Amino acid sequence: MTAHIATSRIAREAGPQDEDRLPPVHFAFRSWTWKEIAHLLLNLPEALIGFVYVSTWLYAGAVLSITVVGLPLLAVGLMGARLMGRMERKRARTLLGVRIDEPSQLPRDLRRRGGNGGFFGWLWTTLKDPVAWRSTLYSFIRLPWGVLTFAITLVALFVAWPVLGHLARGLTNLDRAMVRGLLSPSSELERRIAELEQDRGVVVDTAAADLRRIERDLHDGAQARLVALAMGLGLAKEKLLEDPETAAKMVDEAHGEVKLALQELRDLARGIHPAILTDRGLDAALSSLAGRCTVPVKVAVDLPARPAPAIEGIAYFTVSELLQNISKHSRARSAGVELWRRGDRLMLQVRDDGQGGATTGAGSGLAGLAERLGSVDGVFVVDSPAGGPTVVTAELPWRDRTAG
């Protein structure tokens, strides 16, 4: 009883102190609003730098255009304007969350002044570059806007704090519209060019990796066997008169090495482009792949005609790698492969009833397949929940064989 009374007294004494305790201090705005405020305050220095730069080279280039110096000066200035536009897109992505694609680059041979286009080709292409001219216009109109947004934001920081967040959102929405309108790719064609430039890099990297693989397989396999075969035949030749029986045994061993080397060369040729695919098409080639898989595979091919050789080869090697993954990792009891044509697309689907969990994450074989199909305007989708089943669907553009 005494202990209870003492506890109650302590609680009464501590109660008023707890009630008077203030909540923890924190910023009134979230981090996203602070980013918008920072963007608005940076508008003025950025706009001053851009306006001074653009005014200098544009005025100097226009005045000197009657001489041989003016047009190259304009071209160099436009290249700098392109760079400033890239920096502005990065600032907008970081502070405003604007997601816009980078415009296509100038052709590589023209970006080098001594390239195939020559000096005049580089000059003409740079002078009519729409991306650079839009960046120039952006830098011009940013000066009054930068002064206005800087002044409004700075004043609101001191005298209009309660509405600063709403002001920042409204002003930055106009900034977002300006960036999208002037610094984003100008057309669907330009966006497509940028995608194809990226895809070309994937194709080049894939081809280089395939060449290294072929070189490694030749060096470690058939080439090593052929070297050993040549040495064995040389020793057999020396012993032919002295010890015919030993020489005969060595020739037999060399004959076995020849068979193994021929088999390795056949396997390597099949990895480059199988003869059965060239001669009989996807139906027979995929059936051959299914026969070598450790899991029973049902193949169904419904194509009205054979596609172009390049598309046919990509489809074959896609199925080949997927079946290898099923053999190694899926723990499946059965699998299926289907191919059919839908409009101007070649559809491909590989299924298995294994453990699932396959992903296209970075570093996986499926990620490499997705990049390869993307490089030819294809689509690669993996549906593989934990516990299975796994369904991989791929689309490739259909091209007739006569056109390939």
Side-chain angles (χ1 to χ4, degrees), residues 379-401:
V379 178
F380 189 80
V381 180
V382 178
D383 181 15
S384 182
T390 297
V391 180
V392 179
T393 305
E395 294 184 22
L396 288 166
W398 179 276
R399 293 206 300 268
D400 292 330
R401 197 166 186 83

Side-chain angles (χ1 to χ4, degrees), residues 45-297:
E46 177 277 331
L48 284 173
I49 295 172
F51 185 83
V52 170
Y53 170 77
V54 169
S55 300
T56 301
W57 68 258
L58 192 59
Y59 176 77
V63 171
L64 297 174
S65 60
I66 58 175
T67 69
V68 294
V69 180
L71 293 180
L73 181 60
L74 285 174
V76 173
L78 285 169
M79 294 179 68
R82 244 185 182 268
L83 180 60
M84 294 190 69
R86 184 186 308 169
M87 295 170 61
E88 275 300 292
R89 283 188 293 272
K90 184 177 180 180
R91 185 168 75 104
R93 282 193 294 267
T94 303
L95 298 178
L96 301 182
V98 178
R99 305 300 179 191
I100 54 176
D101 298 327
E102 288 291 330
S104 58
Q105 298 290 328
L106 293 175
R108 292 183 179 275
D109 57 342
L110 292 175
R111 278 185 279 164
R112 299 189 300 266
R113 299 188 188 185
N116 296 332
F119 173 78
F120 291 104
W122 165 80
L123 182 64
W124 174 244
T125 303
T126 306
L127 288 176
K128 65 185 183 71
D129 178 19
V131 175
W133 282 112
R134 289 201 312 274
S135 297
T136 302
L137 177 60
Y138 179 86
S139 296
F140 256 123
I141 65 177
R142 290 292 290 180
L143 182 58
W145 177 250
V147 173
L148 178 64
T149 56
F150 180 85
I152 292 175
T153 306
L154 191 62
V155 171
L157 273 171
F158 296 100
V159 299
W161 180 267
V163 297
L164 177 58
H166 300 286
L167 281 174
R169 178 56 51 86
L171 293 174
T172 52
N173 281 340
L174 292 175
D175 264 309
R176 292 181 179 95
M178 202 178 303
V179 170
R180 290 192 181 100
L182 292 176
L183 298 183
S184 62
S186 59
S187 64
E188 184 63 29
L189 176 60
E190 192 172 298
R191 283 190 289 271
R192 183 63 181 148
I193 290 172
E195 291 176 1
L196 291 176
E197 286 181 346
Q198 182 179 1
D199 293 342
R200 181 178 61 182
V202 174
V203 171
V204 171
D205 293 341
T206 301
D210 289 339
L211 287 175
R212 289 194 298 270
R213 177 183 59 81
I214 293 169
E215 181 182 7
R216 183 177 62 252
D217 291 344
L218 282 172
H219 183 271
D220 298 340
Q223 180 179 344
R225 290 193 180 278
L226 290 174
V227 170
L229 172 63
M231 294 176 63
L233 288 176
L235 293 173
K237 181 180 179 181
E238 293 178 359
K239 292 183 176 294
L240 184 61
L241 298 178
E242 301 174 1
D243 192 353
E245 293 183 1
T246 303
K249 292 180 180 180
M250 296 178 71
V251 170
D252 288 338
E253 293 176 359
H255 185 250
E257 290 290 328
V258 169
K259 290 183 177 179
L260 291 174
L262 288 174
Q263 182 61 41
E264 289 183 354
L265 288 173
R266 287 195 203 97
D267 293 339
L268 182 61
R270 187 183 295 117
I272 299 172
H273 197 85
I276 189 173
L277 177 62
T278 304
D279 297 338
R280 301 173 58 189
L282 280 169
D283 196 350
L286 297 184
S287 298
S288 176
L289 282 177
R292 296 200 298 269
C293 185
T294 58
V295 176
V297 181

Side-chain angles (χ1 to χ4, degrees), residues 3-62:
H4 176 72
I5 295 173
T7 304
S8 300
R9 185 170 63 251
I10 293 172
R12 286 195 301 271
E13 293 175 355
Q17 296 176 3
D18 291 338
E19 291 176 359
D20 292 340
R21 185 176 299 166
L22 296 174
V25 177
H26 59 83
F27 285 110
F29 298 135
R30 296 181 180 273
S31 60
W32 190 256
T33 303
W34 284 112
K35 286 184 178 181
E36 293 178 332
I37 294 171
H39 179 86
L40 294 172
L41 292 176
L42 289 172
N43 272 349
L44 181 58
E46 177 277 331
L48 284 173
I49 295 172
F51 185 83
V52 170
Y53 170 77
V54 169
S55 300
T56 301
W57 68 258
L58 192 59
Y59 176 77

